[in-house]
Amino acid sequence: MGRDGHLTEAGVRFGEPIVQGARHTADRRERDALRAAQLYYVQDLTMEAIARDLGVSRSTVSRLLSLAKRTGLVKIELNPPRGRATSLVRDLEARFGVRAQVVPTDGSLSEPEVLERVAAHAAHVVQPLISSGMTVGLAWGSTLSALSKHLVHKPTHDTVFVQLNGAANPQTTGISYASDILFRFGTAFTARVEQFPVPAFFDRAETRAMMWRERSVIRVLHTHRDIRLAVFGLGSIDSAVPSQIYRGGYVSTQEARALREQGVVGDVATVFYRSDGSDEGIAMNERATGPRLDELRRIPQRLAVVAGRGKLPALRGALEGRLMTDLVVDEGTAWRLLR
């Protein structure tokens, strides 16, 4: 039996008693998680008191509370008093015209630790944005990979998650990396997922133009037109947590040098832009498989998740280019941006 309570194929062969036993164990664990959550969040008992009540260890109580959040038994919402947003949030929204959430951090955290904090926060932000019948576009990358691991269960109906850009490169198909992110979103929201089985970058622009006429590709591109919410991180060459396209073999050293020479500061779904948000004349974009920036701007809601000061130039450029309507960003980067 897997850790999530589901039987493996080998387990099924032993017959119905194993299935019933697995269900009983899963049901009991869910009941314990619900009871622990009620005692902790409603009755304000300590973990030690809950451990005595359930007859388990304190570490087991901690795991039960995590299970309750992960499976949706507990939903945590922050509701700041209306009109009392922090000055950082107010300044970001006034200056850049975005809906912003700033994640509390401190200077002692490493860049990977900042990413984890922002990803966990963003997972709670994205949950209420997704509802039944929606088509949601996802750009694979380090940030969304981290975010997808913090999603909590929220069943929906007729929801579709579609990959915004291809993931293959000369070294790997990239399918497993991108599909892991899609799978976690699909599982959390009981939704259908649509992969985009093309390279991140074609070798030639004319190859991309020809592939865009193929029926299998056209089907995914038509799904892109239905997107109501896009969720993405920002790629950056100089971030301390390197963007996947720079550490995964998608961009060569020569290509990265050429991008710098063209003033590129970041990318969204492998489409590059400069510090003023423009993308005209960037040759590599002609080979990219992500949506053009003008196509991206037509999506009604666009949530960018940004962590770490290394993403600051990319964030500035994306804000100048109006690439996002919503932003989740760490406190340190928000301060530097406004400064």
Side-chain angles (χ1 to χ4, degrees):
M1 186 172 63
R3 287 184 295 178
D4 59 357
H6 295 293
L7 291 175
T8 62
E9 290 182 358
V12 174
R13 295 193 190 102
F14 286 96
E16 188 63 24
I18 291 182
V19 175
Q20 292 175 348
R23 288 174 181 166
H24 175 75
T25 300
D27 289 346
R28 178 177 177 181
R29 187 165 178 78
E30 190 174 77
R31 287 196 301 270
D32 287 346
L34 179 60
R35 182 176 180 85
Q38 289 171 329
L39 294 173
Y40 186 75
Y41 292 107
V42 180
Q43 299 186 28
D44 291 326
L45 296 187
T46 64
M47 287 196 181
E48 289 79 4
I50 298 170
R52 289 194 298 270
D53 182 281
L54 296 178
V56 297
S57 67
R58 188 181 182 280
S59 60
T60 298
V61 173
S62 179
R63 288 194 292 271
L64 289 171
L65 292 174
S66 295
L67 175 65
K69 288 189 288 186
R70 191 170 63 252
T71 57
L73 292 173
V74 169
K75 296 180 181 178
I76 298 175
E77 294 183 1
L78 298 177
N79 297 301
R82 194 169 183 83
R84 293 181 60 188
T86 67
S87 59
L88 268 178
V89 171
R90 287 198 305 270
D91 291 347
L92 284 172
E93 294 183 342
R95 182 167 171 181
F96 297 106
V98 296
R99 292 180 290 268
Q101 293 213 24
V102 176
V103 182
T105 55
D106 63 64
S108 66
L109 297 175
S110 66
E111 296 275 294
E113 289 171 328
V114 171
L115 173 59
E116 278 303 306
R117 283 204 186 182
V118 171
H121 188 100
H124 288 285
V125 171
V126 79
Q127 186 188 38
L129 301 181
I130 297 170
S131 58
S132 294
M134 285 185 69
T135 300
V136 181
L138 301 175
W140 55 264
S142 303
T143 301
L144 251 67
S145 179
L147 187 161
S148 67
K149 296 172 185 176
H150 293 280
L151 292 169
V152 297
H153 190 56
K154 177 187 175 181
T156 62
H157 303 285
D158 300 320
T159 302
V160 179
F161 289 98
V162 61
Q163 186 177 326
L164 282 174
N165 54 312
N169 68 35
Q171 300 177 23
T172 174
T173 65
I175 291 174
S176 60
Y177 179 81
S179 65
D180 282 348
I181 297 171
L182 286 167
F183 175 79
R184 294 185 195 114
F185 272 90
T187 300
F189 294 95
T190 58
R192 178 167 62 88
V193 300
E194 285 279 0
Q195 290 186 288
F196 198 11
V198 294
F201 301 98
F202 287 102
D203 290 337
R204 298 173 180 83
E206 54 267 30
T207 307
R208 176 188 182 277
M210 293 178 64
M211 280 296 296
W212 258 225
R213 299 173 191 160
E214 293 292 322
R215 285 179 296 175
S216 60
V217 173
I218 290 172
R219 183 182 61 81
V220 179
L221 295 176
H222 282 171
T223 305
H224 283 181
R225 295 175 188 173
D226 297 329
I227 293 173
R228 310 303 295 170
L229 168 68
V231 185
F232 51 85
L234 301 178
S236 174
I237 297 176
D238 301 314
S239 175
V241 180
S243 301
Q244 182 66 17
I245 65 167
Y246 301 109
R247 62 185 172 90
Y250 293 88
V251 177
S252 69
T253 303
Q254 294 83 356
E255 288 170 333
R257 186 183 305 116
L259 290 171
R260 286 192 177 94
E261 290 171 354
Q262 294 174 78
V264 166
V265 296
D267 75 272
V268 173
T270 60
V271 175
F272 301 97
Y273 57 87
R274 303 182 185 86
S275 59
D276 61 357
S278 66
D279 61 334
E280 296 83 1
I282 298 174
M284 202 163 173
N285 285 346
E286 298 302 313
R287 302 189 281 114
T289 53
R292 305 297 195 200
L293 297 189
D294 57 345
E295 296 170 351
L296 180 69
R297 293 185 191 98
R298 286 198 285 268
I299 296 173
Q301 190 164 18
R302 308 179 299 278
L303 172 63
V305 182
V306 182
R309 61 177 178 265
K311 295 291 181 79
L312 185 56
L315 176 57
R316 282 200 191 103
L319 288 166
E320 290 294 334
R322 305 294 181 187
L323 302 185
M324 67 195 74
T325 60
D326 298 75
L327 171 66
V328 177
V329 63
D330 66 277
E331 192 172 34
T333 303
W335 275 115
R336 289 180 177 89
L337 175 67
L338 291 169
R339 203 177 287 169

